[in-house]
Amino acid sequence: MRKSDDFSEWYNEVVEQNELTDKRYPIKGMNVWPYYGWKTWLLIGSIVRREFDLRGHQEVYFPLLIPEDQFQKEKEHIKGFDAQVFWVTRAGDNELDIPLLLRPTSETAMYPIFSVWIRSHADLPLRIYQIVNTFRYETKQTRAFIRVREIQFIEGHTCHASYEEAESQIREDLEIMKNIAEELCLPYKVIRRTEWDKFPGALYTYGVDTMLPDGRALQIASIHQYRTNFSIPYNIYFEEEDGSRKPVHQTTYGMSERMLGAVVAIHGDDTGLIIPPSVSPVQVLVVPVPVKGEAERITGEARKIYDAVSSLGFRTRFDDRDIRPGNKYYYWERRGVPLRLEIGKREIDEGFVTAVRRDSRAKIRIDITDLQKGIGDILHDIASSLLRRAEESASRMEFDADRPEGIREGYNRMSWCGREECGKNIEERSGGSLLGTPVGESGKKGKCVICGEETDGIAIVARTM
Ligand code: ZN
């Protein structure tokens, strides 16, 4: 299946054929993670951990089940999630007095505990995160990593003494996003969601969107300013130095396995996956290329090179299966391994390895005494060209539109006065979603495409995944 012929079919094929996911589990939207996919997700998680830990956020774990009465405290939040909740109502022979729900997200699991943890200004800021599964009953067509019912989720939660401190946390979140996206070689846009599309209960929401090759936007992360919308109903107050009691200001940061979906969708090609070096379970593949009569010597020497590369800290695999080298190349190319080292008679006799890049298929000679720098430089270059390629194709999918009808595949930028009535009209007439207004981009003066009012407000409209 060619990616350009049918992106959607191509996506379903590459994720299943290359052991990222196994959809044969008998619950729709709850897939098995085979080793290769799970390891890739864990590596994405380790980048997120590094970014959070570096800034003093602490990793925690809260229970999966939330009592119904605890969930019910913030009205907007309940309205937003009610239709998506999985319930546990029985245990053994007993009907439960208070039904329990599987976390769709963990605000309502955490906040009653925050109200106990936080006493005074000395307990602030509180900055924690967890990497867990969450559950949402999706009714739309499911798709691996992109729309599932059991979601691998990363959620950061913070509490602050003031609105300004919470705002500065959100600026830091954007910095974290920048670093993570760079490691995943993903271009993205930060878009302030509309009032009718923000996170249930939030003051405002920033969506982080990336553009898929079929011209549809995919939200890969979101950042929320709650102000005191949750701390008041959940009674999360702190005592100021002057003895007064105040509700904390809160933010959250959510990311999910959709980041892996975006990596697959954006970097892959007709052959299969291309995984960025930073999250590839195998960064370097070593393949012996034996010749008649010297098979044993060549495989032995190749194994020594594998040991050397592995001990340099690269995630390395030695493929000495009894199949033709060409079949091995194809097998690992489909799985997106960024770099392959071919080691045959000539390489051994002359003391070099032949490195083949997955992204460009270019062959590069690396001297055996220069493996660390040689491999490191190429992996680095692969990452930058993946990012460059992805940025170029995303920028080809950005358009200015002067009316809502006939939007193109990609981001469509149009003047919008900001009123809900006009926004809903834009969605209706375009058939796309109004993602919101871009953050950090100033708009040109124009006329709202619906009401004609002079405005410098901008709407980004796109079809979504
Ligand atoms: Zn308008």
Side-chain angles (χ1 to χ4, degrees):
M1 179 61 65
R2 286 163 55 93
K3 189 180 183 186
S4 50
D5 290 346
D6 188 340
F7 167 74
S8 181
E9 270 304 301
W10 171 89
Y11 179 89
N12 290 341
E13 265 183 35
V14 291
V15 294
E16 282 202 272
Q17 288 176 357
N18 300 307
E19 293 163 85
L20 290 183
T21 191
D22 192 329
K23 291 189 218 159
R24 289 172 293 186
Y25 196 74
I27 302 178
K28 188 181 155 203
M30 296 190 186
N31 302 327
V32 175
W33 290 76
Y35 168 75
Y36 198 67
W38 187 243
K39 181 69 181 172
T40 311
W41 171 244
L42 290 177
L43 289 163
I44 293 174
S46 71
I47 290 171
V48 176
R49 277 195 173 92
R50 182 196 70 199
E51 290 294 320
F52 274 139
D53 293 350
L54 196 70
R55 294 170 174 80
H57 297 241
Q58 297 178 323
E59 186 167 3
V60 299
Y61 180 81
F62 275 74
L64 164 65
L65 294 173
I66 303 171
E68 182 182 34
D69 51 345
Q70 195 164 305
F71 180 68
Q72 303 285 13
K73 284 188 184 159
E74 207 291 323
K75 278 205 229 54
E76 292 300 314
H77 187 70
I78 307 154
K79 260 200 301 187
F81 280 105
D82 224 12
Q84 293 188 304
V85 165
F86 283 94
W87 291 98
V88 177
T89 56
R90 286 179 66 85
D93 288 336
N94 303 313
E95 289 291 330
L96 298 176
D97 291 339
I98 298 173
L100 307 172
L101 61 119
L102 269 54
R103 60 180 164 228
T105 170
S106 298
E107 280 76 359
T108 63
M110 293 176 172
Y111 295 178
I113 301 299
F114 284 7
S115 79
V116 187
W117 282 354
I118 296 169
R119 285 281 165 249
S120 80
H121 58 91
D123 300 320
L124 296 174
L126 176 74
R127 300 189 299 172
I128 56 117
Y129 70 96
Q130 65 178 14
I131 303 185
V132 295
N133 53 354
T134 56
F135 295 82
R136 296 181 190 176
Y137 183 69
E138 274 291 349
T139 48
K140 292 186 198 160
Q141 166 113 44
T142 56
R143 183 184 292 276
F145 313 128
I146 289 178
R147 183 167 289 112
V148 288
R149 290 174 171 176
E150 179 176 4
I151 307 160
Q152 302 302 325
F153 194 53
I154 299 161
E155 48 182 328
H157 295 258
T158 68
C159 299
H160 307 270
S162 68
Y163 181 76
E164 291 66 37
E165 282 177 35
E167 285 289 284
S168 106
Q169 179 60 51
I170 285 172
R171 286 191 291 275
E172 185 187 89
D173 292 347
L174 292 175
E175 219 175 277
I176 292 174
M177 190 67 238
K178 182 167 168 275
N179 293 345
I180 294 169
E182 200 169 290
E183 297 274 12
L184 301 179
C185 311
L186 295 177
Y188 65 95
K189 265 188 198 308
V190 181
I191 298 179
R192 186 176 168 130
R193 293 285 183 252
T194 61
E195 280 302 300
W196 62 94
D197 193 30
K198 66 185 182 185
F199 183 81
L203 172 67
Y204 69 79
T205 289
Y206 284 168
V208 178
D209 296 305
T210 192
M211 186 48 69
L212 300 186
D214 65 348
R216 285 192 284 178
L218 178 70
Q219 174 176 303
I220 52 170
S222 54
I223 297 165
H224 314 285
Q225 165 65 273
Y226 289 168
R227 200 166 51 189
T228 55
N229 294 357
F230 283 86
S231 56
I232 293 173
Y234 283 91
N235 199 27
I236 315 172
Y237 282 70
F238 70 104
E239 199 176 293
E240 277 278 29
E241 275 171 84
D242 64 8
S244 60
R245 245 177 122 247
K246 286 186 180 154
V248 300
H249 287 258
Q250 293 181 284
T251 76
T252 57
Y253 195 167
M255 288 169 259
S256 75
E257 59 184 274
R258 279 187 168 192
M259 293 193 290
L260 174 54
V263 161
V264 170
I266 289 175
H267 300 311
D269 63 12
D270 289 345
T271 305
L273 304 168
I274 301 181
I275 306 188
S278 62
V279 295
S280 188
V282 181
Q283 295 171 307
V284 182
L285 172 72
V286 177
V287 182
V289 188
V291 291
K292 258 215 171 98
E294 290 196 70
E296 217 164 288
R297 180 177 80 98
I298 289 168
T299 302
E301 290 298 315
R303 186 179 285 281
K304 281 186 206 157
I305 290 168
Y306 158 75
D307 287 336
V309 174
S310 202
S311 69
L312 292 171
F314 298 106
R315 291 186 292 276
T316 313
R317 184 73 73 93
F318 186 59
D319 191 346
D320 62 350
R321 288 178 296 171
D322 192 19
I323 53 174
R324 293 154 54 101
N327 292 342
K328 297 178 187 177
Y329 302 165
Y330 182 59
Y331 179 90
W332 291 105
E333 276 182 7
R334 282 170 47 201
R335 279 162 181 72
V337 171
L339 193 65
R340 167 173 88 231
L341 305 182
E342 301 175 0
I343 294 148
K345 181 172 163 45
R346 208 177 133 225
E347 278 83 359
I348 289 163
D349 292 346
E350 293 176 29
F352 72 100
V353 300
T354 298
V356 185
R357 288 173 63 143
R358 171 63 180 88
D359 60 335
S360 63
R361 295 204 162 76
K363 288 193 174 191
I364 302 145
R365 182 185 167 118
I366 305 174
D367 201 276
I368 208 82
T369 57
D370 191 33
L371 288 174
Q372 175 139 44
K373 186 170 184 307
I375 294 170
D377 285 352
I378 298 173
L379 291 179
H380 192 264
D381 195 61
I382 290 173
S384 26
S385 42
L386 285 179
L387 177 60
R388 203 168 48 240
R389 194 153 87 180
E391 278 172 347
E392 281 165 10
S393 78
S395 71
R396 282 195 298 272
M397 287 190 282
E398 275 199 47
F399 309 99
D400 288 318
D402 52 14
R403 51 196 206 94
E405 286 83 6
I407 58 163
R408 301 173 69 176
E409 289 176 350
Y411 298 116
N412 295 265
R413 190 181 297 268
M414 56 190 83
S415 292
W416 172 44
C417 64
R419 276 196 288 268
E420 179 162 344
E421 196 192 337
C422 290
K424 293 227 160 128
N425 220 318
I426 288 176
E427 295 198 309
E428 217 165 275
R429 285 166 57 179
S430 67
S433 301
L434 202 172
L435 300 179
T437 53
V439 174
E441 283 178 44
S442 58
K444 285 179 293 200
K445 267 245 174 297
K447 288 194 166 96
C448 173
V449 293
I450 302 295
C451 68
E453 188 180 287
E454 282 269 343
T455 178
D456 56 7
I458 295 287
I460 303 282
V461 183
R463 294 197 175 83
T464 57
M465 199 62 188

